[in-house]
Amino acid sequence: MRKFIFLLMLLPMTVMAQSNTFGYFCYTKVMEQLPEYAQAVKEYSELKKRCDTEIARNEEELTRAYVAYLDGQNEFPEPILRKRQKELQELVDKSILFREELTSWLATAQDSLMAPLRAKIDDAVGRVCMHNNLAYIIDLDNAGYKFINPTCGFDITNALLGTLGITAVEQKSDEQENATTEQ
């Protein structure tokens, strides 16, 4: 009877300990393993290359206008000189605005290229969490945790990769990573 009562007392503690476990993984490492990731990076690189070409063309145009202004600076009458200065300043302002708009557009394009990948990972995270009865999952990329007690939580990277249909990669142990970092 004593053993039965002792087991009954331990049962809530066991259930409580199981529900307080958590998982952790490195979002970037999982993202980079997705087959679609390489294609998304390639598409983004092509977009960036085209934008860089347009920015360079715009800067060349600005440089030509500035050189033309400098060449004629001594020959222009005062009203024409002021007009050219104003036109040059407008061209500089437009060039800056153009660069900022392209940079913003590229960031939006990158987000939209990566959104389906993030959604896929987030769905897998939810499934792994529910399958393993985890209380929560930590993304190590953004949290900056100094230490995670492996008796309370565990690395779910390989489980995530398996859920995503990707062969699990071999994980370095924390000791190996620390040894590599110290060298």
Side-chain angles (χ1 to χ4, degrees):
M1 181 74 173
R2 282 183 168 177
K3 289 182 182 180
F4 181 70
I5 293 174
F6 181 71
L7 289 175
L8 284 177
M9 290 174 58
L10 283 178
L11 184 63
M13 294 167 113
T14 306
V15 169
M16 192 173 168
Q18 287 177 349
S19 66
N20 287 331
T21 59
F22 63 93
Y24 56 90
F25 75 107
C26 183
Y27 207 96
T28 306
K29 286 181 184 177
V30 172
M31 173 97 62
E32 290 172 351
Q33 295 298 316
L34 293 174
E36 303 95 328
Y37 179 76
Q39 181 62 32
V41 168
K42 181 181 177 186
E43 287 179 37
Y44 175 75
S45 294
E46 290 170 2
L47 288 174
K48 185 168 180 356
K49 192 181 297 184
R50 282 190 260 159
C51 287
D52 288 344
T53 301
E54 282 301 309
I55 288 171
R57 187 188 59 74
N58 186 270
E59 287 177 355
E60 287 173 13
E61 191 176 301
L62 178 62
T63 301
R64 277 193 297 268
Y66 183 67
V67 168
Y69 169 78
L70 289 177
D71 287 346
Q73 185 176 2
N74 295 334
E75 301 168 6
F76 296 140
E78 186 66 27
I80 293 176
L81 184 62
R82 276 189 260 129
K83 181 182 176 201
R84 295 282 171 99
Q85 285 174 338
K86 185 178 177 182
E87 289 171 351
L88 189 58
Q89 185 59 49
E90 288 174 1
L91 197 56
V92 167
D93 293 343
K94 286 179 183 178
S95 179
I96 291 170
L97 182 63
F98 178 71
R99 180 183 281 265
E100 289 172 354
E101 287 174 351
L102 271 182
T103 302
S104 174
W105 181 82
L106 269 175
T108 302
Q110 184 177 33
D111 286 344
S112 65
L113 285 169
M114 295 299 172
L117 303 178
R118 285 189 201 101
K120 189 174 184 177
I121 292 172
D122 292 345
D123 178 60
V125 166
R127 286 186 282 153
V128 168
C129 186
M130 296 305 292
H131 178 75
N132 292 297
N133 194 29
L134 300 174
Y136 54 92
I137 294 181
I138 299 170
D139 173 8
L140 296 177
D141 284 348
N142 301 321
Y145 293 96
K146 301 294 181 206
F147 177 76
I148 294 178
N149 187 341
T151 60
C152 298
F154 63 95
D155 189 346
I156 64 163
T157 302
N158 288 336
L160 274 176
L161 293 173
T163 301
L164 292 166
I166 300 168
T167 306
V169 293
E170 188 175 315
Q171 298 283 318
K172 283 185 178 179
S173 72
D174 290 337
E175 293 171 5
Q176 288 174 329
E177 288 183 21
N178 290 340
T180 306
T181 308
E182 290 174 3
Q183 291 175 357

